Amino acid sequence: QRWKLPRQHSNPADMPSRGEMNGQDWNTVAFSNRGPTKQGAKKVSEAQRTGAAVITQSKQNNNSMTTGSGLSAAALENETDELKHASVSRDLKMAIQKGRQAKGLTQKQLAQQLNMQPQVINEYESGKAIPNNAVIAKIERQLACKLPRAQKVK
């Protein structure tokens, strides 16, 4: 049995039409960051002269860099308090190391037993991790020893 190939269109008039673009909006749209127009400013000044109530809203200064805490970069730079993440205490570091070594486990083996990345155990033992009581509890259960918990942030 022979397979038939689809018919090739040699004449462009034989091609199916693509249809017209119905419902398309061909009007030009412009985006800009300009403030109020002169006409809008005139209306505001007119209202102020006549004594009508005018509500004004100030926009935030978008030129300054702000942090997630809402402080600007300059305010954060001039801050006198030390702003840094909490880190693992020396007691916790030593307790995890001693518990792991008492069980005869490497950092990688302990991480596999806990279904974690070996880097997490390494960060806790080197004191670079941000303490998480849920992680500390998992390590505590696996090593079967009591570990000091992280203090709650006030």
Side-chain angles (χ1 to χ4, degrees), residues 97 99-111 113 125 142-143:
Q97 285 177 0
R100 178 179 57 80
Q101 290 170 349
K103 288 254 183 174
L105 299 172
T106 64
Q107 289 181 352
K108 185 176 180 181
Q109 289 170 336
L110 178 60
Q113 290 175 0
E125 287 190 7
Q142 188 64 40
L143 296 178

Side-chain angles (χ1 to χ4, degrees), residues 6-17:
R7 192 177 115 208
Q8 298 294 324
H9 298 285
S10 58
N11 186 359
D14 293 343
M15 296 287 290
S17 67

